Amino acid sequence: MGNKIFNIRMRAAKGGPHEKGGKHISGGEILANYEDIQKAVNDLVEKALTHSRGNPDFMQIQFEEVQMPVQFLAPLSITANHVLSVREGQQLAMQLLRKCGVPSPSIEKAYELIAQPKNVGMRGAMLLHVQSGERVDNRGEKGVRVSRMDWDAANFEKWAIRQEMPRSARVKEAITLATKVASHPEIVAELCWSDDPDYITGYVASEKIGYQRISKLKEFGDERGFRIFFVKDALNLDSYIHYLEKEPTLLYWEEDDEK
Ligand code: WAQ
Ligand code: MG
Ligand code: MG
């Protein structure tokens, strides 16, 4: 038994690897002890091989020991918003972004970026400057992939039962990512919906408004999905990206947090 911790990550594509123009199918990241690496690898392989975006013909799995100390965070508080149409869902998303302090012109710029075909099919997130709405990461169609984060399965299950949330890997991954992202003081909001054609629920999240789930942000069958992080200041980009990619985060929920 060691107390070393490892980051295991996977990316899968169809039509060749991502960097050779393949279509992104699936990605995943897990933090595990040495003795749980095998299970983590199996879980990631299964995720990619049974994906609704299609069967991959390229997959890469990689792991490495994490040398940095782990930060522990309580999951963001959850609000469920039920909407009847994509239009209503998207209007609510914009309203929530404004509540986080993102000005309307920047929100419009975000939606212009989303509408561009070259930004469809990214495996990571776009970073946008809050005030100008300009994209500030230089990661092109790859985007910034948040990694080195996880949430113990048993602790997540307890939380999900109490919150009446689905006990799915997808929800666990989304709350984990949103909590890690929101806890950075320079990131004021996140907008997300899935690129999986069979999943239409998305969210807006921030430290201020918590995880605001929106039941419908796109139509079934649509393979366009996104993650956008709005950052206050474009100057410390390298430090945000280091935080998102490299600094290990584990969620932990205490029953008496009552969040
Ligand atoms: N880091 C950065 N961006 C990511 C990451 C990551 N680790 N994982 C995914 N993305 C980006 C990428 O551009 C994908 O195309 C997009 O997000 C959607 O990813 O019911 O399932 O994993 O409360 O398909 C949210 C609602 C589900 C969950 C989100 O996203 C709920 C989802 P997906
Ligand atoms: Mg995912
Ligand atoms: Mg997906």
Side-chain angles (χ1 to χ4, degrees):
M1 279 290 290
N3 48 12
K4 287 181 176 169
I5 179 162
F6 295 82
N7 186 47
I8 305 104
R9 59 182 190 275
M10 173 278 292
R11 62 185 172 107
K14 186 187 178 87
H18 299 86
E19 59 275 20
K20 294 202 171 130
K23 174 192 176 189
H24 176 63
I25 298 293
S26 177
E29 34 280 312
I30 293 176
L31 286 176
N33 298 319
Y34 189 79
E35 52 276 22
D36 295 324
I37 292 174
Q38 176 119 47
K39 182 184 181 319
V41 169
N42 289 343
D43 288 352
L44 291 171
V45 170
E46 186 180 338
K47 181 181 181 187
L49 293 182
T50 58
H51 207 279
S52 63
R53 287 175 62 79
N55 293 343
D57 53 28
F58 167 87
M59 194 189 303
Q60 178 177 298
I61 295 195
Q62 188 175 334
F63 79 83
E64 75 258 308
E65 189 187 329
V66 173
Q67 303 280 4
M68 267 172 279
V70 175
Q71 86 167 330
F72 284 87
L73 296 174
L76 288 174
S77 62
I78 306 292
T79 307
N81 300 282
H82 290 280
V83 295
L84 297 174
S85 65
V86 175
R87 196 183 148 79
E88 193 190 328
Q90 288 292 355
Q91 275 170 352
L92 176 59
M94 293 182 216
Q95 189 186 319
L96 290 166
L97 288 171
R98 284 193 293 273
K99 211 166 159 182
C100 296
V102 186
S104 297
S106 300
I107 297 172
E108 278 161 33
K109 284 216 172 138
Y111 279 84
E112 281 165 23
L113 282 175
I114 283 171
Q116 291 173 14
K118 71 167 160 69
N119 293 324
V120 171
M122 287 175 59
R123 72 177 190 270
M126 294 190 255
L127 270 58
L128 266 53
H129 181 226
V130 174
Q131 290 309 324
S132 69
E134 296 295 333
R135 183 162 174 197
V136 292
D137 68 279
N138 49 6
R139 293 296 180 83
E141 49 197 57
K142 180 176 175 235
V144 177
R145 183 93 195 174
V146 188
S147 192
R148 299 195 173 186
M149 60 189 166
D150 213 331
W151 188 355
D152 171 71
N155 186 255
F156 165 73
E157 295 257 318
K158 268 203 285 185
W159 171 91
I161 291 166
R162 175 65 64 86
Q163 305 288 327
E164 297 179 0
M165 284 285 283
R167 286 148 66 186
S168 67
R170 182 191 303 277
V171 166
K172 187 178 101 165
E173 289 166 10
I175 313 274
T176 304
L177 186 150
T179 301
K180 180 177 179 183
V181 170
S183 91
H184 195 290
E186 297 284 320
I187 300 179
V188 301
E190 178 189 355
L191 169 65
C192 164
W193 64 91
S194 182
D195 58 350
D196 303 4
D198 56 352
Y199 207 80
I200 61 171
T201 299
Y203 64 86
V204 174
S206 82
E207 205 66 30
K208 185 172 164 192
I209 64 170
Y211 184 94
Q212 296 276 342
R213 231 175 153 219
I214 303 173
S215 61
K216 193 168 186 184
L217 282 178
K218 68 172 193 186
E219 300 294 347
F220 274 109
D222 191 339
E223 289 200 333
R224 289 168 302 174
F226 301 92
R227 272 193 162 91
I228 293 181
F229 307 153
F230 290 92
V231 302
K232 268 190 212 161
D233 185 343
L235 293 176
N236 295 315
L237 201 60
D238 290 346
S239 91
Y240 309 150
I241 293 183
H242 187 269
Y243 171 77
L244 296 169
E245 291 181 335
K246 298 278 157 59
E247 295 176 29
T249 299
L250 286 173
L251 263 54
Y252 195 79
W253 178 69
E254 307 265 7
E255 221 141 339
D256 18 297
D257 281 356
E258 257 328 298
K259 286 176 88 174

mmCIF file of all heavy atoms in Angstrom, residues 32-68:
data_model
loop_
_atom_site.group_PDB
_atom_site.id
_atom_site.type_symbol
_atom_site.label_atom_id
_atom_site.label_comp_id
_atom_site.label_asym_id
_atom_site.label_seq_id
_atom_site.Cartn_x
_atom_site.Cartn_y
_atom_site.Cartn_z
ATOM 1 N N ALA A 32 -6.113 8.041 -8.975
ATOM 2 C CA ALA A 32 -6.221 6.755 -8.273
ATOM 3 C C ALA A 32 -4.929 6.402 -7.546
ATOM 4 O O ALA A 32 -3.842 6.858 -7.921
ATOM 5 C CB ALA A 32 -6.547 5.651 -9.275
ATOM 6 N N ASN A 33 -5.086 5.556 -6.513
ATOM 7 C CA ASN A 33 -3.919 4.941 -5.880
ATOM 8 C C ASN A 33 -3.347 3.901 -6.842
ATOM 9 O O ASN A 33 -4.035 3.439 -7.749
ATOM 10 C CB ASN A 33 -4.322 4.224 -4.584
ATOM 11 C CG ASN A 33 -4.885 5.191 -3.582
ATOM 12 O OD1 ASN A 33 -4.380 6.303 -3.426
ATOM 13 N ND2 ASN A 33 -5.949 4.769 -2.910
ATOM 14 N N TYR A 34 -2.119 3.488 -6.558
ATOM 15 C CA TYR A 34 -1.457 2.522 -7.435
ATOM 16 C C TYR A 34 -2.330 1.291 -7.668
ATOM 17 O O TYR A 34 -2.510 0.843 -8.801
ATOM 18 C CB TYR A 34 -0.112 2.113 -6.823
ATOM 19 C CG TYR A 34 0.722 1.280 -7.756
ATOM 20 C CD1 TYR A 34 1.443 1.880 -8.787
ATOM 21 C CD2 TYR A 34 0.782 -0.109 -7.625
ATOM 22 C CE1 TYR A 34 2.205 1.125 -9.661
ATOM 23 C CE2 TYR A 34 1.540 -0.877 -8.494
ATOM 24 C CZ TYR A 34 2.243 -0.253 -9.511
ATOM 25 O OH TYR A 34 2.991 -1.002 -10.374
ATOM 26 N N GLU A 35 -2.923 0.750 -6.606
ATOM 27 C CA GLU A 35 -3.669 -0.502 -6.743
ATOM 28 C C GLU A 35 -5.000 -0.320 -7.498
ATOM 29 O O GLU A 35 -5.630 -1.291 -7.869
ATOM 30 C CB GLU A 35 -3.882 -1.198 -5.385
ATOM 31 C CG GLU A 35 -4.469 -0.334 -4.292
ATOM 32 C CD GLU A 35 -3.422 0.506 -3.547
ATOM 33 O OE1 GLU A 35 -2.312 0.769 -4.105
ATOM 34 O OE2 GLU A 35 -3.709 0.925 -2.419
ATOM 35 N N ASP A 36 -5.404 0.899 -7.723
ATOM 36 C CA ASP A 36 -6.652 1.137 -8.469
ATOM 37 C C ASP A 36 -6.416 1.567 -9.919
ATOM 38 O O ASP A 36 -7.370 1.868 -10.648
ATOM 39 C CB ASP A 36 -7.493 2.209 -7.762
ATOM 40 C CG ASP A 36 -7.961 1.736 -6.394
ATOM 41 O OD1 ASP A 36 -8.260 0.527 -6.254
ATOM 42 O OD2 ASP A 36 -8.008 2.565 -5.468
ATOM 43 N N ILE A 37 -5.156 1.583 -10.348
ATOM 44 C CA ILE A 37 -4.862 2.036 -11.718
ATOM 45 C C ILE A 37 -5.515 1.114 -12.746
ATOM 46 O O ILE A 37 -6.108 1.566 -13.726
ATOM 47 C CB ILE A 37 -3.331 2.129 -11.962
ATOM 48 C CG1 ILE A 37 -2.740 3.259 -11.120
ATOM 49 C CG2 ILE A 37 -3.040 2.381 -13.450
ATOM 50 C CD1 ILE A 37 -1.227 3.341 -11.187
ATOM 51 N N GLN A 38 -5.424 -0.201 -12.498
ATOM 52 C CA GLN A 38 -5.983 -1.155 -13.468
ATOM 53 C C GLN A 38 -7.479 -0.914 -13.682
ATOM 54 O O GLN A 38 -7.971 -0.880 -14.808
ATOM 55 C CB GLN A 38 -5.762 -2.577 -12.965
ATOM 56 C CG GLN A 38 -6.391 -3.620 -13.870
ATOM 57 C CD GLN A 38 -5.369 -4.562 -14.453
ATOM 58 O OE1 GLN A 38 -4.511 -5.079 -13.733
ATOM 59 N NE2 GLN A 38 -5.449 -4.771 -15.742
ATOM 60 N N LYS A 39 -8.208 -0.723 -12.570
ATOM 61 C CA LYS A 39 -9.648 -0.471 -12.685
ATOM 62 C C LYS A 39 -9.912 0.847 -13.424
ATOM 63 O O LYS A 39 -10.815 0.933 -14.259
ATOM 64 C CB LYS A 39 -10.299 -0.432 -11.296
ATOM 65 C CG LYS A 39 -11.800 -0.224 -11.382
ATOM 66 C CD LYS A 39 -12.456 -0.075 -10.010
ATOM 67 C CE LYS A 39 -13.973 0.104 -10.115
ATOM 68 N NZ LYS A 39 -14.451 0.979 -11.188
ATOM 69 N N ALA A 40 -9.097 1.835 -13.120
ATOM 70 C CA ALA A 40 -9.267 3.137 -13.780
ATOM 71 C C ALA A 40 -9.087 2.985 -15.295
ATOM 72 O O ALA A 40 -9.874 3.514 -16.088
ATOM 73 C CB ALA A 40 -8.259 4.143 -13.219
ATOM 74 N N VAL A 41 -8.063 2.250 -15.687
ATOM 75 C CA VAL A 41 -7.812 2.030 -17.116
ATOM 76 C C VAL A 41 -9.012 1.306 -17.743
ATOM 77 O O VAL A 41 -9.518 1.704 -18.794
ATOM 78 C CB VAL A 41 -6.497 1.235 -17.339
ATOM 79 C CG1 VAL A 41 -6.373 0.784 -18.795
ATOM 80 C CG2 VAL A 41 -5.300 2.083 -16.936
ATOM 81 N N ASN A 42 -9.489 0.253 -17.058
ATOM 82 C CA ASN A 42 -10.654 -0.479 -17.580
ATOM 83 C C ASN A 42 -11.858 0.438 -17.743
ATOM 84 O O ASN A 42 -12.570 0.376 -18.752
ATOM 85 C CB ASN A 42 -11.038 -1.633 -16.642
ATOM 86 C CG ASN A 42 -10.022 -2.759 -16.677
ATOM 87 O OD1 ASN A 42 -9.206 -2.837 -17.599
ATOM 88 N ND2 ASN A 42 -10.062 -3.618 -15.673
ATOM 89 N N ASP A 43 -12.106 1.270 -16.742
ATOM 90 C CA ASP A 43 -13.270 2.170 -16.801
ATOM 91 C C ASP A 43 -13.144 3.134 -17.987
ATOM 92 O O ASP A 43 -14.125 3.414 -18.676
ATOM 93 C CB ASP A 43 -13.412 2.969 -15.503
ATOM 94 C CG ASP A 43 -13.898 2.098 -14.350
ATOM 95 O OD1 ASP A 43 -14.258 0.926 -14.586
ATOM 96 O OD2 ASP A 43 -13.903 2.589 -13.188
ATOM 97 N N LEU A 44 -11.943 3.649 -18.201
ATOM 98 C CA LEU A 44 -11.750 4.604 -19.297
ATOM 99 C C LEU A 44 -11.886 3.922 -20.661
ATOM 100 O O LEU A 44 -12.467 4.485 -21.591
ATOM 101 C CB LEU A 44 -10.379 5.295 -19.172
ATOM 102 C CG LEU A 44 -10.252 6.262 -17.987
ATOM 103 C CD1 LEU A 44 -8.806 6.725 -17.827
ATOM 104 C CD2 LEU A 44 -11.180 7.466 -18.144
ATOM 105 N N VAL A 45 -11.359 2.689 -20.768
ATOM 106 C CA VAL A 45 -11.492 1.947 -22.029
ATOM 107 C C VAL A 45 -12.967 1.703 -22.321
ATOM 108 O O VAL A 45 -13.454 1.927 -23.432
ATOM 109 C CB VAL A 45 -10.707 0.616 -21.978
ATOM 110 C CG1 VAL A 45 -11.047 -0.262 -23.181
ATOM 111 C CG2 VAL A 45 -9.212 0.874 -21.937
ATOM 112 N N GLU A 46 -13.697 1.297 -21.293
ATOM 113 C CA GLU A 46 -15.122 1.023 -21.490
ATOM 114 C C GLU A 46 -15.869 2.289 -21.907
ATOM 115 O O GLU A 46 -16.724 2.263 -22.796
ATOM 116 C CB GLU A 46 -15.743 0.432 -20.226
ATOM 117 C CG GLU A 46 -17.184 0.027 -20.501
ATOM 118 C CD GLU A 46 -17.891 -0.563 -19.298
ATOM 119 O OE1 GLU A 46 -17.203 -1.052 -18.373
ATOM 120 O OE2 GLU A 46 -19.133 -0.518 -19.297
ATOM 121 N N LYS A 47 -15.531 3.397 -21.260
ATOM 122 C CA LYS A 47 -16.181 4.660 -21.594
ATOM 123 C C LYS A 47 -16.008 4.969 -23.085
ATOM 124 O O LYS A 47 -16.959 5.337 -23.779
ATOM 125 C CB LYS A 47 -15.572 5.784 -20.746
ATOM 126 C CG LYS A 47 -16.187 7.149 -20.977
ATOM 127 C CD LYS A 47 -15.535 8.229 -20.123
ATOM 128 C CE LYS A 47 -16.208 9.577 -20.375
ATOM 129 N NZ LYS A 47 -15.525 10.701 -19.715
ATOM 130 N N ALA A 48 -14.799 4.789 -23.583
ATOM 131 C CA ALA A 48 -14.529 5.146 -24.977
ATOM 132 C C ALA A 48 -15.142 4.144 -25.961
ATOM 133 O O ALA A 48 -15.594 4.528 -27.041
ATOM 134 C CB ALA A 48 -13.026 5.244 -25.209
ATOM 135 N N LEU A 49 -15.143 2.862 -25.578
ATOM 136 C CA LEU A 49 -15.611 1.839 -26.528
ATOM 137 C C LEU A 49 -17.130 1.765 -26.651
ATOM 138 O O LEU A 49 -17.648 1.146 -27.576
ATOM 139 C CB LEU A 49 -15.074 0.454 -26.130
ATOM 140 C CG LEU A 49 -13.553 0.254 -26.242
ATOM 141 C CD1 LEU A 49 -13.174 -1.164 -25.858
ATOM 142 C CD2 LEU A 49 -13.054 0.583 -27.644
ATOM 143 N N THR A 50 -17.828 2.386 -25.719
ATOM 144 C CA THR A 50 -19.294 2.310 -25.728
ATOM 145 C C THR A 50 -19.899 3.708 -25.862
ATOM 146 O O THR A 50 -20.924 4.007 -25.270
ATOM 147 C CB THR A 50 -19.805 1.672 -24.417
ATOM 148 O OG1 THR A 50 -19.319 2.466 -23.318
ATOM 149 C CG2 THR A 50 -19.308 0.248 -24.247
ATOM 150 N N HIS A 51 -19.239 4.572 -26.625
ATOM 151 C CA HIS A 51 -19.636 5.981 -26.639
ATOM 152 C C HIS A 51 -20.678 6.305 -27.710
ATOM 153 O O HIS A 51 -20.618 5.773 -28.818
ATOM 154 C CB HIS A 51 -18.399 6.858 -26.854
ATOM 155 C CG HIS A 51 -18.551 8.206 -26.263
ATOM 156 N ND1 HIS A 51 -19.231 9.207 -26.899
ATOM 157 C CD2 HIS A 51 -18.162 8.714 -25.081
ATOM 158 C CE1 HIS A 51 -19.227 10.284 -26.130
ATOM 159 N NE2 HIS A 51 -18.585 10.010 -25.021
ATOM 160 N N SER A 52 -21.619 7.193 -27.352
ATOM 161 C CA SER A 52 -22.689 7.523 -28.307
ATOM 162 C C SER A 52 -22.193 8.358 -29.494
ATOM 163 O O SER A 52 -22.900 8.502 -30.487
ATOM 164 C CB SER A 52 -23.829 8.267 -27.600
ATOM 165 O OG SER A 52 -23.369 9.505 -27.095
ATOM 166 N N ARG A 53 -20.966 8.911 -29.418
ATOM 167 C CA ARG A 53 -20.444 9.665 -30.573
ATOM 168 C C ARG A 53 -19.842 8.749 -31.633
ATOM 169 O O ARG A 53 -19.448 9.225 -32.701
ATOM 170 C CB ARG A 53 -19.388 10.690 -30.125
ATOM 171 C CG ARG A 53 -20.005 11.888 -29.399
ATOM 172 C CD ARG A 53 -18.950 12.831 -28.848
ATOM 173 N NE ARG A 53 -18.098 13.434 -29.853
ATOM 174 C CZ ARG A 53 -18.435 14.467 -30.627
ATOM 175 N NH1 ARG A 53 -19.631 15.002 -30.512
ATOM 176 N NH2 ARG A 53 -17.588 14.951 -31.489
ATOM 177 N N GLY A 54 -19.757 7.450 -31.320
ATOM 178 C CA GLY A 54 -19.268 6.505 -32.320
ATOM 179 C C GLY A 54 -18.168 5.613 -31.778
ATOM 180 O O GLY A 54 -17.736 5.773 -30.633
ATOM 181 N N ASN A 55 -17.732 4.649 -32.591
ATOM 182 C CA ASN A 55 -16.665 3.733 -32.186
ATOM 183 C C ASN A 55 -15.314 4.322 -32.580
ATOM 184 O O ASN A 55 -15.083 4.628 -33.745
ATOM 185 C CB ASN A 55 -16.830 2.376 -32.870
ATOM 186 C CG ASN A 55 -18.069 1.643 -32.404
ATOM 187 O OD1 ASN A 55 -18.642 1.977 -31.361
ATOM 188 N ND2 ASN A 55 -18.499 0.670 -33.169
ATOM 189 N N PRO A 56 -14.411 4.471 -31.614
ATOM 190 C CA PRO A 56 -13.103 5.052 -31.923
ATOM 191 C C PRO A 56 -12.214 4.081 -32.705
ATOM 192 O O PRO A 56 -12.350 2.867 -32.571
ATOM 193 C CB PRO A 56 -12.504 5.325 -30.544
ATOM 194 C CG PRO A 56 -13.177 4.366 -29.624
ATOM 195 C CD PRO A 56 -14.556 4.147 -30.179
ATOM 196 N N ASP A 57 -11.306 4.639 -33.514
ATOM 197 C CA ASP A 57 -10.255 3.817 -34.120
ATOM 198 C C ASP A 57 -8.881 4.280 -33.635
ATOM 199 O O ASP A 57 -7.854 3.852 -34.129
ATOM 200 C CB ASP A 57 -10.348 3.820 -35.646
ATOM 201 C CG ASP A 57 -10.378 5.221 -36.234
ATOM 202 O OD1 ASP A 57 -9.820 6.139 -35.601
ATOM 203 O OD2 ASP A 57 -10.954 5.409 -37.319
ATOM 204 N N PHE A 58 -8.890 5.212 -32.670
ATOM 205 C CA PHE A 58 -7.645 5.658 -32.033
ATOM 206 C C PHE A 58 -7.932 5.870 -30.547
ATOM 207 O O PHE A 58 -8.958 6.446 -30.183
ATOM 208 C CB PHE A 58 -7.157 6.975 -32.644
ATOM 209 C CG PHE A 58 -6.076 7.642 -31.825
ATOM 210 C CD1 PHE A 58 -4.746 7.316 -32.009
ATOM 211 C CD2 PHE A 58 -6.409 8.558 -30.829
ATOM 212 C CE1 PHE A 58 -3.748 7.901 -31.227
ATOM 213 C CE2 PHE A 58 -5.421 9.146 -30.038
ATOM 214 C CZ PHE A 58 -4.090 8.815 -30.248
ATOM 215 N N MET A 59 -7.055 5.384 -29.694
ATOM 216 C CA MET A 59 -7.188 5.660 -28.258
ATOM 217 C C MET A 59 -5.807 5.776 -27.645
ATOM 218 O O MET A 59 -4.897 5.046 -28.020
ATOM 219 C CB MET A 59 -7.961 4.558 -27.542
ATOM 220 C CG MET A 59 -8.399 4.965 -26.139
ATOM 221 S SD MET A 59 -9.088 3.610 -25.179
ATOM 222 C CE MET A 59 -10.415 3.063 -26.216
ATOM 223 N N GLN A 60 -5.679 6.713 -26.727
ATOM 224 C CA GLN A 60 -4.424 6.835 -25.981
ATOM 225 C C GLN A 60 -4.757 6.882 -24.504
ATOM 226 O O GLN A 60 -5.636 7.636 -24.086
ATOM 227 C CB GLN A 60 -3.717 8.113 -26.406
ATOM 228 C CG GLN A 60 -2.429 8.355 -25.668
ATOM 229 C CD GLN A 60 -1.736 9.603 -26.189
ATOM 230 O OE1 GLN A 60 -1.353 9.697 -27.348
ATOM 231 N NE2 GLN A 60 -1.599 10.577 -25.322
ATOM 232 N N ILE A 61 -4.048 6.040 -23.744
ATOM 233 C CA ILE A 61 -4.216 6.063 -22.288
ATOM 234 C C ILE A 61 -2.841 6.291 -21.688
ATOM 235 O O ILE A 61 -1.852 5.713 -22.140
ATOM 236 C CB ILE A 61 -4.823 4.753 -21.775
ATOM 237 C CG1 ILE A 61 -6.235 4.620 -22.340
ATOM 238 C CG2 ILE A 61 -4.857 4.729 -20.246
ATOM 239 C CD1 ILE A 61 -7.076 3.591 -21.675
ATOM 240 N N GLN A 62 -2.824 7.157 -20.699
ATOM 241 C CA GLN A 62 -1.543 7.584 -20.156
ATOM 242 C C GLN A 62 -1.708 7.725 -18.658
ATOM 243 O O GLN A 62 -2.768 8.134 -18.188
ATOM 244 C CB GLN A 62 -1.280 8.949 -20.784
ATOM 245 C CG GLN A 62 0.040 9.551 -20.558
ATOM 246 C CD GLN A 62 0.146 10.850 -21.366
ATOM 247 O OE1 GLN A 62 -0.505 11.044 -22.399
ATOM 248 N NE2 GLN A 62 0.943 11.754 -20.869
ATOM 249 N N PHE A 63 -0.685 7.357 -17.883
ATOM 250 C CA PHE A 63 -0.763 7.709 -16.461
ATOM 251 C C PHE A 63 0.572 8.165 -15.951
ATOM 252 O O PHE A 63 1.614 7.820 -16.503
ATOM 253 C CB PHE A 63 -1.345 6.563 -15.624
ATOM 254 C CG PHE A 63 -0.401 5.437 -15.286
ATOM 255 C CD1 PHE A 63 0.464 5.541 -14.208
ATOM 256 C CD2 PHE A 63 -0.409 4.274 -16.027
ATOM 257 C CE1 PHE A 63 1.315 4.494 -13.874
ATOM 258 C CE2 PHE A 63 0.440 3.220 -15.712
ATOM 259 C CZ PHE A 63 1.312 3.338 -14.630
ATOM 260 N N GLU A 64 0.518 9.001 -14.919
ATOM 261 C CA GLU A 64 1.754 9.404 -14.272
ATOM 262 C C GLU A 64 1.481 9.724 -12.817
ATOM 263 O O GLU A 64 0.360 10.056 -12.452
ATOM 264 C CB GLU A 64 2.406 10.600 -14.983
ATOM 265 C CG GLU A 64 1.764 11.945 -14.746
ATOM 266 C CD GLU A 64 0.890 12.392 -15.913
ATOM 267 O OE1 GLU A 64 1.364 12.388 -17.043
ATOM 268 O OE2 GLU A 64 -0.284 12.718 -15.669
ATOM 269 N N GLU A 65 2.541 9.587 -12.026
ATOM 270 C CA GLU A 65 2.419 9.917 -10.604
ATOM 271 C C GLU A 65 2.233 11.421 -10.459
ATOM 272 O O GLU A 65 2.859 12.212 -11.167
ATOM 273 C CB GLU A 65 3.689 9.478 -9.876
ATOM 274 C CG GLU A 65 3.552 9.580 -8.378
ATOM 275 C CD GLU A 65 4.858 9.297 -7.657
ATOM 276 O OE1 GLU A 65 5.673 8.504 -8.164
ATOM 277 O OE2 GLU A 65 5.033 9.891 -6.580
ATOM 278 N N VAL A 66 1.369 11.789 -9.533
ATOM 279 C CA VAL A 66 1.135 13.202 -9.246
ATOM 280 C C VAL A 66 2.033 13.603 -8.083
ATOM 281 O O VAL A 66 1.982 12.996 -7.020
ATOM 282 C CB VAL A 66 -0.342 13.427 -8.873
ATOM 283 C CG1 VAL A 66 -0.568 14.846 -8.397
ATOM 284 C CG2 VAL A 66 -1.235 13.114 -10.064
ATOM 285 N N GLN A 67 2.862 14.605 -8.327
ATOM 286 C CA GLN A 67 3.844 14.971 -7.290
ATOM 287 C C GLN A 67 3.336 16.098 -6.383
ATOM 288 O O GLN A 67 3.831 16.271 -5.286
ATOM 289 C CB GLN A 67 5.156 15.427 -7.954
ATOM 290 C CG GLN A 67 5.777 14.386 -8.880
ATOM 291 C CD GLN A 67 6.547 13.300 -8.156
ATOM 292 O OE1 GLN A 67 6.560 13.266 -6.931
ATOM 293 N NE2 GLN A 67 7.163 12.401 -8.921
ATOM 294 N N MET A 68 2.342 16.834 -6.870
ATOM 295 C CA MET A 68 1.894 18.005 -6.109
ATOM 296 C C MET A 68 0.881 17.645 -5.032
ATOM 297 O O MET A 68 0.162 16.663 -5.175
ATOM 298 C CB MET A 68 1.229 18.986 -7.061
ATOM 299 C CG MET A 68 2.164 20.023 -7.598
ATOM 300 S SD MET A 68 1.303 20.931 -8.871
ATOM 301 C CE MET A 68 1.514 19.818 -10.224
#
